[in-house]
Amino acid sequence: MRRWTVVLCALLGALAVEAAPPEAQGWRAEVVTRGLEHPWAIAWLPDGTALISERPGRLRRLATDGRLDPRPIEGVPEVLAEGQGGLLDVAPHPDFRRNRLVYLSYAEGTARANRTALARARLVDGALRDLERLYANPDTKRDTQHFGSRILWLDDDSLLLSIGDGGNPPIRFAGGLIREQAQRLDSHFGKILRLRADGSPHPDNPWFAAGGARAAIHSLGHRNIQGLARDPASGRVWANEHGARGGDELNRIIPGANYGWPEVTTSHEYWGPAISSVHQRVDVTAPLLEWTPSKAPSGLAYYSGRHFPAWRGDLFSGALKFGEVRRIDLEDGAVVGEERLTIGTRVRDVREGPDGHLYVLTDAPDGALLRIVPDG
């Protein structure tokens, strides 16, 4: 396997790689379907068909032959499709074959009072039935930034749900900048939550019975996670999250861990100055990998397919800013290198399909689903 020069960033404990890593070889992208309006997520059902969410508030069905049903699936909850809000992640229940349950994360409310929510419904005869809103952030926020929001199922049929920090300055909440809520245990902003399938807090959460803390919190100190992935063999969970200007991160998620935002970060304000002078702290879990300049990370996938044997056990992270997918080379859970798959347009989601191929959703008014296949 090709090796690249890597530099250990002593200040952060993170692996720093060159800003433009080498191009991956031996692959090409083929178009599966087009005509998707700002698609956000894709998930496969046991019959080989797939569900694709579109941020304006539509859920589409993709047949096994790649044909996109022109009729959206009925019964989707009403969403706030403004700014970064809209219909976000889609995740069938692990036992979908029996219960037909589909879970959706989305933004709800108005531009002046909105939040991240989670709902589920049964997919029956091409429509969502018996819709239930299982969770909504107890606090609303202003503006339409930083909702998160990815869903990741765990082995015990509980799920992780990422919630953004609420937005950039000058957005305020409770007398301070809203992003400061990422460090507070009485707030869901800037957190990963662990919920049972019915939306209730999981009793194994670190602060489930702690006074003054919210029971659903799994980890804290996040800015805006838009990628969650899990190794089914080891159970390791990874997340990629946006910095502001620089300081995008790949983190291994550990229950109860604090990932620092905004008190410990190398990120800068969009207008120039450093957000914090503290880059390392004993109570903060350092990132495995940092991206400066920012690549604007999106979907994240753990690859175990048969088509690229050298890629097995690696992570694939989308990049909105550079229009590419980053292959993150892992060995025993540690990052040892990185390379890029240039797509040429904004990448919103990356997933492994049931056929063992990687799939990529492009974020555009006429977005596409691409399949990554061996070249030749």
Side-chain angles (χ1 to χ4, degrees), residues 16 37 42 47 152 156 175 178 224-225 233 251 260 274 284 290 300 303 327 342 346 360 372:
E37 185 177 1
I42 182 169
D47 64 1
L152 180 67
D156 64 351
I178 194 170
N224 195 23
I225 290 174
N251 287 297
V284 167
E290 277 199 333
L300 186 68
Y303 184 70
R327 175 196 168 207
T342 299
R346 287 166 58 91
V360 174
I372 305 299

Side-chain angles (χ1 to χ4, degrees), residues 177-192:
L177 293 176
I178 194 170
R179 69 187 182 192
E180 295 167 359
Q181 296 293 306
Q183 288 295 316
R184 296 185 60 92
L185 290 174
D186 59 355
S187 168
H188 283 173
F189 291 120
K191 309 297 191 301
I192 293 178

Side-chain angles (χ1 to χ4, degrees), residues 18 45 123 141 172 211 225 230 262 267 287 340:
E18 53 195 293
L45 301 176
L123 181 61
K141 63 183 184 66
R172 300 179 67 80
I225 290 174
R230 180 176 175 273
S267 191
R340 59 195 166 99

Side-chain angles (χ1 to χ4, degrees), residues 54 58-62 68-74 125-126:
E54 293 177 307
R58 291 181 296 273
L59 188 63
R60 310 291 296 276
R61 190 153 190 170
L62 185 76
L68 185 67
D69 192 331
R71 300 163 300 175
I73 292 172
E74 297 179 357
D125 297 329

Side-chain angles (χ1 to χ4, degrees), residues 77-80 86-89 103-109 114-120 132-139 147-151 161-163 193 195:
E78 184 176 351
V79 307
L80 172 66
L87 183 60
L88 304 174
D89 212 359
Y103 287 66
L104 301 168
S105 67
Y106 56 100
E108 66 171 23
N114 55 73
R115 57 183 138 205
T116 303
L118 176 74
R120 73 178 177 187
E132 301 176 83
R133 191 183 74 167
L134 301 178
Y135 163 83
N137 191 332
D139 298 309
F147 294 95
S149 162
R150 290 290 177 187
I151 303 166
L161 177 69
S162 64
I163 308 293
L193 312 181
L195 307 173

Side-chain angles (χ1 to χ4, degrees), residues 41-53:
I42 182 169
W44 279 266
L45 301 176
D47 64 1
T49 63
L51 301 177
I52 300 175
S53 62

